Amino acid sequence: AVPSVRLSPAARSLFDEPLAIAVQGLGPQQQVTLRTSLRDETGELFQACARYQAGDDGELDLTRCPALPGGSFSGLEPMGLLWALQPQKPFWYMMKRDVQSPFLLQLEVLEGHGDPPGRLLARAQHERAFLRDGVRRIPVREGRIRATLFLPPGESPFPGIIDIHGLGRGLFEHRASLLANHGFATLALAYYQYEDLPQKPTLLHLEYFEEALNYMLQHPQVKGPGVGLLGYSKGADLSLAMAAFLKNITAVASLNGSVAITVLPLCYKDKTIQSLIMDEQRVKVTDSSFLDYSDAFDDPFQAPGNQSLIPIEKIEAQLLFIVGQDDRVNKSEYHATEVCKILQAQGKENFQILSCPGTGHCIDPPFFPLYSRGNHPIFHKRAVLGGQLGAYSKAQVHAWPQIQSFFHKYL
């Protein structure tokens, strides 16, 4: 028999969906190395490999066969060849700017467990897509808003979510597009360094975000009476501030955010919330010469007058705090825990915390590569962002359906 790769779905799957991988036609107990490769939009190569041994029947099914030590991972990990992808260029983050085109995944079966492995026995390629058939991508240029709206196929109206990214410059559509596949009308919102938005803002205006909220509330295909907010990092403190000061926000999911305003002061009408003070003197240098900024911010609960704290007690929306226990950019678990104590003391029950062990600052949808060291989002210096490979992959897979069920429940 000639070895061949069997994938299910065969040709194309959504990026956040599992992919079943099997190899048939091998010799009994034959040793092989499986290698996956993917190039991002800039041409950078990501790879993962794992060592396997076929069964007595020459079949190798990754749902039943554990990976042997010596590759990118070991143990029974059916999706390991996807979540363990790592950039060949150090400290590179996998980005998807154009969600209308899929990533192309290459899978090779190589002879033996050598390093480098032996000859090529079989190969397959597979598209990992961001848009399900029928999802509409609509660029939004209304008033000052610069955004993209994703509308699911089928009967509207749909529950609406505004997705606000961290300090990563520009417009990020990967999470919003994937959420639309799950039935949400999702607005990916840019707020600086995009088109005619401010290039280097010194402060942010809540009125801009209010405009985006009103756009969603008035959209005929968005189900009222309220919308949800999904904020990551800086986007999380912006989402909490929106929920504290604006009406018709029903549910907020905060991904590794602060409960204080960070980096850029926030203005609304005649009020300004100053950003949390940061002291570069408190930055530590790790043994591998990376910077650790985890203690750089002031503690917002100890700061005089709490001047940067968001008045979270005013929020009527349901709150879901998703926090990485190894977040080295924000003390997100501490912030969420402390603020929930305050809410509890006031008799409120509108909050829950999902705490993810071994997870750093970056929490992307499932199967995005771990980004544990790279450019700090504020200082643009090489920094520790946190996270361990296996634990992070489990956290992604666990958190993603929780985010969806949270929004389905409250929207």
Side-chain angles (χ1 to χ4, degrees):
V2 178
S4 64
V5 178
R6 191 174 70 241
L7 302 174
S8 177
R12 186 183 177 100
S13 56
L14 291 171
F15 195 91
D16 61 345
E17 282 181 343
L19 175 65
I21 300 172
V23 184
Q24 51 207 48
L26 297 168
Q29 296 190 2
Q30 183 174 349
Q31 292 192 336
V32 290
T33 298
L34 267 55
R35 182 168 67 199
T36 43
S37 311
L38 180 156
R39 285 194 186 275
D40 73 4
E41 293 167 325
T42 65
E44 291 300 333
L45 180 65
F46 288 73
Q47 281 192 325
C49 69
R51 296 173 172 182
Y52 286 98
Q53 183 171 327
D56 293 336
D57 55 359
E59 284 269 329
L60 172 59
D61 182 341
L62 269 55
T63 59
R64 295 199 302 270
C65 292
L68 305 171
S72 305
F73 59 92
S74 60
L76 190 63
E77 296 286 356
M79 286 294 286
L81 286 165
L82 281 90
W83 59 249
L85 284 165
Q86 280 293 286
Q88 300 306 289
K89 181 179 183 174
F91 323 121
W92 190 257
Y93 177 64
M94 185 190 280
M95 188 82 75
K96 191 72 176 109
R97 291 287 190 189
D98 175 14
V99 296
Q100 295 177 97
S101 66
F103 275 137
L104 195 59
L105 182 77
Q106 307 279 355
L107 191 138
E108 298 167 306
V109 184
L110 303 154
E111 197 168 46
H113 290 168
D115 188 14
R119 69 189 174 98
L120 181 70
L121 301 175
R123 74 150 44 109
Q125 63 179 24
H126 184 85
E127 290 184 350
R128 296 287 279 171
F130 285 77
L131 294 177
R132 189 185 292 287
D133 287 347
V135 171
R136 281 173 296 153
R137 178 187 175 277
I138 303 157
V140 178
R141 305 291 179 271
E142 296 264 329
R144 289 177 300 177
I145 311 169
R146 302 292 174 261
T148 304
L149 179 65
F150 293 93
L151 290 174
E155 286 296 305
S156 66
F158 307 103
I161 297 172
I162 302 175
D163 179 29
I164 307 177
H165 214 273
L167 293 172
R169 306 188 185 108
L171 182 59
F172 293 80
E173 299 184 359
H174 63 283
R175 193 166 46 222
S177 61
L178 292 171
L179 276 173
N181 299 324
H182 296 282
F184 297 99
T186 316
L187 186 77
L189 182 66
Y191 54 98
Y192 80 114
Q193 279 197 12
Y194 183 71
E195 293 184 356
D196 56 353
L197 293 174
Q199 286 302 303
K200 291 189 171 173
T202 51
L203 47 78
L204 295 172
H205 292 275
L206 197 63
E207 284 85 352
Y208 174 79
F209 300 91
E210 186 172 30
E211 217 173 299
L213 173 64
N214 290 335
Y215 170 81
M216 288 295 274
L217 290 168
Q218 290 158 14
H219 199 288
Q221 285 172 292
V222 174
K223 180 180 164 190
V227 300
L229 306 176
L230 174 57
Y232 161 67
S233 191
K234 175 64 190 167
D237 71 61
L238 288 167
S239 298
L240 292 169
M242 287 171 75
F245 294 107
L246 308 176
K247 291 183 170 53
N248 298 315
I249 293 166
T250 315
V252 180
S254 158
L255 286 171
N256 275 342
S258 170
V259 296
I261 295 298
T262 57
V263 189
L264 298 165
L266 185 67
C267 305
Y268 185 51
K269 297 180 177 165
D270 53 359
K271 182 178 170 60
T272 299
I273 304 181
Q274 294 303 328
S275 54
L276 202 54
I277 290 169
M278 199 168 203
D279 183 358
E280 282 210 62
Q281 300 297 309
R282 294 192 292 241
V283 176
K284 300 188 286 282
V285 181
T286 66
D287 47 14
S288 51
S289 301
F290 274 74
L291 299 174
D292 183 344
Y293 287 91
S294 50
D295 291 324
F297 278 118
D298 274 2
D299 182 334
F301 302 99
Q302 309 298 329
N306 293 350
Q307 61 161 8
S308 303
L309 268 180
I310 297 160
I312 288 184
E313 65 284 351
K314 290 185 178 175
I315 295 178
E316 289 177 11
Q318 292 291 324
L319 302 172
L320 171 62
F321 295 97
I322 298 173
V323 295
Q325 290 181 2
D326 191 30
D327 181 355
R328 305 284 193 91
V329 175
N330 278 327
K331 282 192 155 44
S332 46
E333 186 177 39
Y334 166 67
H335 280 210
T337 310
E338 289 302 304
V339 99
C340 290
K341 283 182 199 164
I342 293 168
L343 293 173
Q344 204 163 14
Q346 295 174 347
K348 296 200 157 203
E349 295 176 349
N350 62 331
F351 56 87
Q352 49 188 302
I353 299 177
L354 176 61
S355 201
C356 305
T359 300
H361 188 62
C362 293
I363 301 184
D364 270 315
F367 315 125
F368 268 88
L370 172 68
Y371 186 56
S372 61
R373 293 174 169 206
N375 257 1
H376 192 277
I378 301 159
F379 295 105
H380 310 298
K381 293 177 183 170
R382 287 281 155 82
V384 184
L385 308 174
Q388 286 92 43
L389 186 56
Y392 171 63
S393 71
K394 288 179 176 58
Q396 284 177 314
V397 170
H398 180 58
W400 188 233
Q402 302 264 34
I403 291 168
Q404 293 164 45
S405 58
F406 169 74
F407 284 126
H408 275 304
K409 180 175 178 180
Y410 294 112
L411 299 178

